[in-house]
Amino acid sequence: MNRFSLAVSRGIARVTEAALGPYQTAVIRIGFSATWLLFLLRELPHRHELYGPDGPWSWGLAEQLIGTNKAFTPLMWSDGRLWFEFVYALAILSSALLLLGWRTRTMSVLFMVGVLSLQNRSVFMGDGGDNVLHLMSIYLVFTRCAQVWSLDARRAARAREARTRGERVGDRTGPALWGVLGVVLLAATLAGRMDGDELLIPVLLWTVWAAQALWWLAGRRAKTGEPRILLDVVANIVHNGALLVIMAEACLIYATAGWYKIQGSRWQDGTAVYYPLHLEYFSPWPSLADLLSSSGTMVMLVTYGTVLVQVAFPFTLFNRRVKNVLLALMITEHAVIAVVLGLPFFSLAMIAADAVFLPTSFLRRLGDWSARARDRLPRRRGGRVPVPGQHAPESSRATNVGFGA
């Protein structure tokens, strides 16, 4: 019983004392924000046909559907072209700032609003990658995904150094963002713009907004450090729970995809991969598709291998070596799909979801390599001293502190 109690206490301490997976959550933040940003930029000339007033899915049809499913989309607050341009520009800006990790808490909320606004406006424009992005945009709000590889982490490090020198550190940008977004949220609520929406998203928006105020009060007005420590523990628990949900979601995606494939006759006889290679819609490189499908043995191996990897992956998570091998195979598979079938954004979304399982040691080495590559350029040009590579903080209180973090 003593051993069991000790194990339970260690587990509780691990979950509450730190936000786990700082590098993994940073990678999925960068991955999903980059995927959405690149998609929005690529479709910039076609935005009116996809999600705007010129699309085949008209305003009236969207209004009828949203009246039934109660989906959240601020695009339906007005049918004006100027409002559409504003929401589209906000989606691009929030994606770019989330990618950089600037005021990550606020940007993660705006990123979610941008994703839901466009995807719920035209529900028939997406694919499997959009569904993954849809879910992950909500999960990211609950994570502390700016612990490393972000402007917030750099700002927090500079603030700690300033406090060590005895300097007073202030923050005007965070409270300003909080005030502006609070006014917008209040105006939308009082105007009844959220009355028809699903209750989850409006409640989430108000909860995050109120939590930011509570965080600021605990850090600036509390006489002792206990309130801030308590809020930090709660934030760690929420982060770790969201990280677990993200991992479970990725496993569920692969498990369901694999088991559904098993039931298909083309997957059973080993010819399923051949057919999409010869569909005109999925053949941006016909000669490459012909080359890959020229060998029946290769088609059969790829078909059976795809099913095997997808079905087996959730069961290999407790074996690090086998998991890493299958993870490399899945990432390679999605990279091939991006090129051969012309589905780059679907593949990027799936690779970003896969990244949550990448080993921390690999991600830290990747970060060090990137830092050294970045530092070589200024040293050659101007002889400046390179900045050391960024590492995970010893405590989760080092980042995501204050407004917008």
Side-chain angles (χ1 to χ4, degrees):
M1 179 61 73
N2 290 335
R3 291 183 179 179
F4 176 75
S5 300
L6 183 60
V8 171
S9 63
R10 287 178 178 175
I12 294 175
R14 181 172 175 80
V15 171
T16 58
E17 288 180 354
L20 303 177
Y23 290 95
Q24 286 79 3
T25 50
V27 169
I28 61 176
R29 182 200 86 228
I30 294 170
F32 284 113
S33 59
T35 299
W36 186 237
L37 176 62
L38 292 174
F39 174 79
L40 293 178
L41 292 178
R42 192 195 72 169
E43 300 299 343
L44 190 63
H46 314 290
R47 63 190 183 279
H48 296 129
E49 290 78 12
L50 287 175
Y51 304 110
D54 300 333
W57 190 249
S58 65
W59 172 271
L61 292 174
E63 192 174 31
Q64 293 179 35
L65 180 61
I66 292 172
T68 302
N69 62 18
K70 307 299 181 183
F72 175 83
T73 169
L75 273 182
M76 298 304 296
W77 294 356
S78 172
D79 60 352
R81 187 176 293 267
L82 184 62
W83 175 247
F84 168 78
E85 299 290 357
F86 172 77
V87 173
Y88 199 92
L90 180 64
I92 293 177
L93 180 62
S94 61
S95 301
L97 294 178
L98 182 63
L99 174 65
L100 297 174
W102 185 81
R103 305 290 170 173
T104 312
R105 184 68 67 199
T106 300
M107 291 306 122
S108 66
V109 174
L110 294 179
F111 175 76
M112 177 192 70
V113 170
V115 171
L116 299 184
S117 297
L118 296 173
Q119 290 189 354
N120 288 339
R121 165 63 176 85
S122 300
V123 293
F124 299 109
M125 295 296 178
D127 55 23
D130 293 299
N131 294 335
V132 174
L133 184 64
H134 190 106
L135 294 171
M136 295 301 178
S137 68
I138 300 175
Y139 300 153
L140 277 175
V141 175
F142 298 95
T143 63
R144 310 183 79 172
C145 54
Q147 297 181 92
V148 296
W149 300 342
S150 68
L151 296 179
D152 284 346
R154 187 176 67 174
R155 177 169 55 87
R158 291 178 175 177
R160 289 195 303 272
E161 294 175 359
R163 293 190 187 97
T164 302
R165 296 191 299 266
E167 300 176 4
R168 185 176 180 180
V169 179
D171 181 19
R172 296 181 180 179
T173 305
L177 278 174
W178 178 83
V180 170
L181 296 178
V183 170
V184 172
L185 192 58
L186 180 62
T189 303
L190 294 178
R193 297 298 185 182
M194 296 186 180
D195 292 345
D197 295 321
E198 190 179 33
L199 187 61
L200 172 64
I201 302 303
V203 169
L204 176 59
L205 294 176
W206 276 111
T207 301
V208 174
W209 184 82
Q212 291 294 87
L214 188 61
W215 194 279
W216 184 84
L217 290 173
R220 299 300 179 88
R221 303 300 182 185
K223 296 181 180 180
T224 63
E226 283 79 4
R228 185 58 175 267
I229 294 174
L230 176 62
L231 291 176
D232 204 55
V233 169
V234 172
N236 289 337
I237 294 173
V238 172
H239 165 93
N240 294 330
L243 184 61
L244 179 62
V245 170
I246 291 173
M247 297 172 71
E249 187 73 40
C251 290
L252 183 63
I253 290 172
Y254 284 115
T256 53
W259 286 107
Y260 272 113
K261 285 182 174 68
I262 289 177
Q263 302 175 43
S265 59
R266 294 293 176 262
W267 291 96
Q268 293 174 8
D269 61 26
T271 61
V273 172
Y274 175 86
Y275 297 99
L277 292 174
H278 293 275
L279 291 175
E280 183 178 357
Y281 183 79
F282 294 113
S283 297
W285 315 100
S287 58
L288 180 59
D290 292 337
L291 177 63
L292 293 175
S293 61
S294 60
S295 172
T297 303
M298 180 62 67
V299 170
M300 182 186 67
L301 290 176
V302 173
T303 301
Y304 288 153
T306 299
V307 176
L308 178 62
V309 168
Q310 291 183 347
V311 172
F313 179 73
F315 300 100
T316 64
L317 295 181
F318 298 102
N319 189 311
R320 181 176 301 178
R321 293 182 178 180
V322 178
K323 181 262 295 183
N324 290 340
V325 171
L326 294 186
L327 189 61
L329 291 175
M330 289 192 300
I331 292 176
T332 303
E333 176 189 7
H334 289 304
V336 172
I337 290 174
V339 176
V340 177
L341 298 183
L343 297 172
F345 301 109
F346 166 79
S347 297
L348 284 174
M350 293 308 303
I351 291 174
D354 294 340
V356 73
F357 299 106
L358 289 173
T360 301
S361 58
F362 169 77
L363 292 176
R364 295 189 66 166
R365 286 197 300 269
L366 183 62
D368 292 339
W369 293 337
S370 300
R372 286 196 295 268
R374 177 196 62 194
D375 295 335
R376 286 194 188 101
L377 185 60
R379 184 167 61 231
R380 289 177 179 175
R381 289 183 175 180
R384 291 182 294 179
V385 178
V387 180
Q390 193 176 59
H391 296 284
E394 296 180 359
S395 170
S396 61
R397 289 188 290 272
T399 55
N400 279 22
V401 292
F403 285 94

